[in-house]
């Protein structure tokens, strides 16, 4: 089991737009194993490549006790955005109301190159949107209203981990 260190707010890799995976190599397979091993802890709903210092377009999920992954995810959202409570492993100890769509679908592939489709509401929809944001170099803080974002930045500066 290889559990990677989570990169924290301020690490430049978190602002990186991830690269499309064009070939399934042993390196890609090893990266997926790292994503799965690192997300498989209680309280972790998802983990994107950038959060463990990699820039491949992949993420892992840990929803309802099931651990999964998607390579090259493409996101579709449905409905009107609603405010939901959200946190991030890369911004520990903070929780804010973030606008998220009530339903989301991700299409991508697995390590065998076979199609993967994840479609859902609730925590799954939220996690799909959150992890796809990471792959675009965005943190959930960028989705906050100006007042909440200002508060978040103050709390980050005052935190013991920053």
């Amino acid at each position: 089991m290889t559990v990677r260190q989570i990169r924290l707010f301020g690490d430049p890799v978190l602002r990186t737009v991830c690269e499309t995976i064009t070939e399934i190599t042993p390196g890609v397979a090893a990266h997926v194993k790292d994503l799965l091993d690192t997300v498989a802890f209680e309280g972790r709903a998802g983990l994107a490549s950038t959060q463990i210092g990699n820039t491949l377009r992949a993420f892992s999920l840990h929803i309802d006790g099931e651990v999964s992954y998607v390579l090259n995810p493409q996101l579709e959202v449905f409905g009107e955005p609603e405010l939901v409570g959200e946190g991030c492993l890369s911004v520990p100890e903070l929780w804010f109301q973030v606008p998220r769509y009530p339903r989301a679908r991700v299409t991508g592939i697995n390590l065998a190159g076979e199609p993967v489709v994840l479609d859902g509401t609730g925590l799954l929809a939220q996690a799909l949107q959150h992890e796809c944001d990471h792959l675009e170099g965005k943190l959930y803080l960028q989705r906050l209203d100006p007042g909440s974002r200002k508060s978040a930045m103050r709390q980050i500066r005052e935190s013991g981990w920053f």
Side-chain angles (χ1 to χ4, degrees):
M1 179 177 215
T2 305
V3 177
R4 299 291 178 194
Q5 181 178 358
I6 304 292
R7 302 295 181 97
L8 300 178
F9 177 86
D11 189 317
V13 74
L14 295 172
R15 303 287 254 176
T16 304
V17 176
C18 289
E19 307 156 23
T20 299
I21 298 167
T22 57
E23 182 181 1
I24 307 298
T25 64
V28 171
H31 176 58
V32 168
K33 184 177 181 328
D34 291 349
L35 282 170
L36 295 171
D37 289 349
T38 306
V39 80
F41 288 89
E42 187 67 31
R44 293 184 176 181
L47 184 72
S49 291
T50 55
Q51 292 181 278
I52 58 172
N54 194 304
T55 59
L56 292 176
R57 195 163 195 79
F59 66 75
S60 58
L61 296 174
H62 185 190
I63 307 283
D64 296 330
E66 186 176 326
V67 177
S68 61
Y69 71 94
V70 180
L71 307 179
N72 296 333
Q74 296 295 314
L75 177 68
E76 292 178 82
V77 292
F78 306 91
E80 293 299 319
E82 305 167 353
L83 290 177
V84 293
E86 188 164 311
C88 180
L89 295 171
S90 294
V91 189
E93 305 165 9
L94 297 183
W95 195 263
F96 291 96
Q97 294 293 308
V98 180
R100 294 290 184 193
Y101 291 88
R103 180 175 162 225
R105 176 186 303 134
V106 159
T107 56
I109 60 171
N110 63 19
L111 287 170
E114 301 164 337
V116 172
V117 178
L118 297 173
D119 189 323
T121 60
L123 182 58
L124 177 58
Q126 185 177 358
L128 293 174
Q129 293 168 76
H130 182 103
E131 301 314 324
C132 284
D133 276 354
H134 274 298
L135 300 180
E136 293 299 324
K138 296 178 182 162
L139 291 171
Y140 83 116
L141 301 173
Q142 292 171 265
R143 295 204 177 269
L144 298 177
D145 65 74
S148 296
R149 186 160 187 200
K150 184 176 180 179
S151 174
M153 292 301 148
R154 186 185 74 254
Q155 290 178 55
I156 288 168
R157 285 189 302 275
E158 294 171 354
S159 72
W161 56 265
F162 183 66

